[in-house]
């Protein structure tokens, strides 16, 4: 499956809202992402509305409950990280560069602080969440396969290895003062990415970790 065939996240929206309504929705999602990272998923919704510059009624009109808002934040973050990889692949044709942009974009989006909320707040099998997750996983699997075929990426790593390492290196859990770690994150991620390059300098213990094995674990 190519990146171009993966479902666009806009398909989640049955109808296109007015421009001002769309801007309000985007402001709410941005404010929620920031506050979930800073304070965790239980931050009061009226505080999110205040930061977004909208009324409570506007927030609830877009997101009827906390689960809907958290889910949209996580989906939007996964969509943007996938778009960073797709853009790099389109601009350079370099699979390893696309992989690098995905990892660094995920750190900028604070994806590791947000994704643990999925397992603790709502159904992991919600169609929107599944669609965004599959989009990311399929894209990164394709990019990694292309990088391996080009001799850029060591052969003994899987998508699960990438996701675990990127999450562990990029951010501590939400609400733990993670903003103070910003100056270290991209440095450490680049060290990790350099370790993924072929030829491998050492043998890894165990076997390559797939996303399916990671979910089962």
């Amino acid at each position: 499956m190519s990146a171009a065939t993966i479902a666009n996240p806009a398909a989640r929206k049955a109808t296109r809202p007015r421009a001002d309504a769309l801007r309000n929705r985007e402001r709410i999602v941005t404010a929620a992402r920031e506050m979930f990272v800073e304070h965790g998923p239980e931050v009061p919704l009226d505080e999110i509305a205040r930061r977004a510059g909208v009324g409570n009624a506007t927030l609830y009109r877009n997101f009827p409950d906390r689960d809907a808002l958290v889910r949209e934040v996580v989906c939007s973050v996964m969509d943007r990280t996938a778009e960073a990889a797709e853009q790099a692949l389109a601009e350079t044709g370099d699979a390893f560069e696309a992989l690098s942009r995905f990892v660094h974009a995920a750190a900028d989006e604070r994806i590791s602080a947000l994704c643990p909320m999925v397992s603790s707040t709502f159904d992991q099998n919600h169609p929107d969440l599944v669609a965004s997750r599959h989009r990311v996983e399929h894209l990164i699997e394709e990019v990694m396969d292309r990088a391996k075929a080009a001799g850029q990426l060591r052969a003994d790593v899987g998508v699960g290895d990438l996701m675990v390492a990127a999450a562990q290196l990029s951010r501590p859990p939400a609400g733990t003062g993670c903003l103070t770690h910003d100056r270290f994150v991209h440095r450490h991620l680049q060290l990790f990415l350099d370790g993924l390059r072929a030829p491998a300098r050492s043998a890894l213990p165990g076997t390559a970790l797939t996303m399916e094995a990671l979910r089962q674990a």
Side-chain angles (χ1 to χ4, degrees):
M1 177 183 294
S2 69
T5 63
I6 299 171
N8 190 297
R12 294 202 306 270
K13 312 298 187 293
T15 57
R16 185 80 174 173
R18 299 192 321 270
D20 57 341
L22 184 60
R23 284 193 296 270
N24 283 340
R25 184 181 180 89
E26 290 172 348
R27 281 198 292 266
I28 293 167
V29 172
T30 298
R33 180 180 68 88
E34 293 171 353
M35 297 194 77
F36 290 156
V37 169
E38 293 169 16
H39 305 292
E42 298 306 318
V43 63
L45 296 185
D46 57 348
E47 292 295 327
I48 293 174
R50 185 174 296 110
R51 179 174 292 196
V54 302
N56 288 359
T58 299
L59 187 150
Y60 283 107
R61 187 161 55 246
N62 283 275
F63 304 103
D65 54 36
R66 182 180 301 275
D67 283 1
L69 179 55
V70 174
R71 182 170 56 247
E72 181 63 20
V73 168
V74 173
C75 286
S76 69
V77 164
M78 288 194 289
D79 291 340
R80 285 196 296 273
T81 54
E83 288 162 6
E86 290 172 331
Q87 184 176 359
L89 204 55
E91 290 174 352
T92 70
D94 186 314
F96 200 93
E97 175 62 21
L99 195 66
S100 297
R101 286 210 205 167
F102 167 78
V103 170
H104 286 293
D108 285 336
E109 292 287 347
R110 295 176 169 85
I111 198 168
S112 67
L114 294 171
C115 284
M117 298 178 191
V118 175
S119 61
S120 61
T121 60
F122 54 80
D123 180 11
Q124 296 185 51
N125 296 315
H126 188 281
D128 289 354
L129 184 63
V130 169
S132 289
R133 186 170 63 229
H134 283 178
R135 181 188 184 212
V136 170
E137 291 175 9
H138 292 162
L139 173 63
I140 298 309
E141 184 174 14
E142 179 190 345
V143 168
M144 291 180 72
D145 286 346
R146 290 176 62 166
K148 288 176 182 178
Q152 298 173 301
L153 178 67
R154 57 189 297 164
D156 55 352
V157 293
V159 179
D161 293 310
L162 179 82
M163 296 299 194
V164 169
Q168 290 177 338
L169 289 171
S170 60
R171 291 291 186 273
T176 59
C178 62
L179 301 183
T180 63
H181 291 72
D182 279 0
R183 64 189 183 277
F184 307 123
V185 169
H186 291 289
R187 175 182 175 86
H188 295 162
L189 286 174
Q190 194 58 49
L191 285 170
F192 161 65
L193 287 164
D194 286 349
L196 293 181
R197 287 191 178 274
R201 292 177 177 264
S202 61
L204 293 176
T207 58
L209 181 62
T210 65
M211 287 304 299
E212 182 62 29
L214 180 60
R215 276 193 286 269
Q216 290 176 355

